[in-house]
Amino acid sequence: MEPLFNFLGNYWWLVFVFGGMAGGWAKSISKANERRHRRKVELYKLKNQQVVAEQASQAEVAVLMAAHDAVNHKWLDYELDVGKLIDYPLMSDVREPLTVAFLRAKKEADGLRPAAAADITTAARLAEYRSAVRSYEIAFEIAEHEAKRIKDANFTGPERDRLATARKLLRIAEDVAATPAERQTAYKRARKELDGLIVLPDVTLAALEAKVAGMIDARRDPEADAQMA
């Protein structure tokens, strides 16, 4: 141990040199650890922000899909109700620019609609669907407002008389108190009155025919049961 003490006694000043170097190394290690910690915190924040952004995007897509459905249901009310299309014929008149614009906007929105909210994963895709839904909403509102404003004003006097007759006949066709023969006859005459005036969508005709046929079958079943009895 004596040689060591002699060395330290002669070279005591080396303590300050190595002490300073050790202090520098310690500071460097501390700063490096601090930088790594900051990077971890920043990375965590970025990941958390990304998760929040994705959740927000999915929530917005869900809201847009609900708005899309709401307009579709409004249009479906016309498609399944011939009386409404007779009262507001512009809604099914593809010669009218506003109707064409609404139907095009519907087609575009339907084409961009995702199967699920999570299917839209990019901001560009979200913006595209948002724009389509907003355009669809506006186009429908404009077309409906105009249809309710003008009603049957675009038709001549005799044509309006035919529309009025068709309304009465459809009421008979859907009247549960009428006989099956009366309903069938009224339905056929209503179709004839509307021919050349209003082009009814296929889904509208299918819904009307199913309704009339259902009423006829419901009326016939008791008669058939009575005959079998």
Side-chain angles (χ1 to χ4, degrees):
M1 293 294 291
E2 185 175 351
L4 175 62
F5 289 129
N6 289 333
F7 176 81
L8 293 175
N10 293 325
Y11 298 98
W12 56 268
W13 50 271
L14 291 176
V15 173
F16 298 99
V17 176
F18 288 113
M21 293 176 62
W25 290 336
K27 288 181 179 179
S28 297
I29 293 173
S30 177
K31 289 182 178 179
N33 289 335
E34 185 178 350
R35 285 195 297 269
R36 282 196 294 271
H37 177 70
R38 282 200 304 266
R39 284 197 294 269
K40 288 181 179 179
V41 171
E42 290 172 357
L43 183 60
Y44 172 79
K45 287 181 178 179
L46 289 174
K47 288 182 177 179
N48 189 54
Q49 289 173 356
Q50 183 178 2
V51 171
V52 172
E54 289 176 353
Q55 291 175 343
S57 295
Q58 290 186 23
E60 183 179 358
V61 174
V63 171
L64 290 172
M65 292 174 71
H68 190 166
D69 287 338
V71 185
N72 279 343
H73 290 155
K74 289 179 182 178
W75 169 233
L76 190 63
D77 285 342
Y78 286 94
E79 282 196 314
L80 300 182
D81 189 342
V82 178
K84 288 189 72 172
L85 288 181
I86 292 175
D87 290 336
Y88 310 111
L90 183 142
M91 292 301 291
S92 64
D93 191 348
V94 294
R95 298 168 299 179
E96 290 290 339
L98 293 178
T99 304
V100 173
F102 146 63
L103 293 174
R104 284 177 178 171
K106 171 178 168 55
K107 183 178 181 180
E108 182 177 359
D110 289 347
L112 291 172
R113 181 190 178 92
D119 292 343
I120 292 184
T121 58
T122 65
R125 179 74 173 81
L126 174 58
E128 188 179 30
Y129 183 52
R130 183 192 303 116
S131 177
V133 172
R134 298 307 182 215
S135 296
Y136 180 30
E137 288 178 314
I138 293 171
F140 180 85
E141 288 178 4
I142 293 174
E144 185 178 43
H145 181 271
E146 184 65 6
K148 290 183 176 181
R149 185 184 70 83
I150 67 173
K151 295 184 179 179
D152 58 2
N154 288 342
F155 295 90
T156 64
E159 288 173 338
R160 285 196 289 272
D161 290 340
R162 288 174 58 188
L163 290 175
T165 300
R167 289 190 193 94
K168 294 177 182 178
L169 290 170
L170 286 174
R171 282 196 288 269
I172 296 173
E174 297 176 350
D175 186 359
V176 295
T179 67
E182 288 173 336
R183 281 198 288 271
Q184 282 282 19
T185 300
Y187 169 70
K188 292 178 181 179
R189 287 185 58 197
R191 287 288 307 274
K192 186 176 181 180
E193 292 292 345
L194 294 175
D195 188 30
L197 295 180
I198 298 178
V199 178
L200 299 176
D202 291 340
V203 65
T204 308
L205 289 174
L208 177 60
E209 290 174 357
K211 187 174 183 180
V212 173
M215 289 179 175
I216 292 174
D217 291 341
R219 179 64 179 267
R220 284 176 175 170
D221 286 344
E223 294 177 357
D225 293 342
Q227 291 176 359
M228 291 178 64

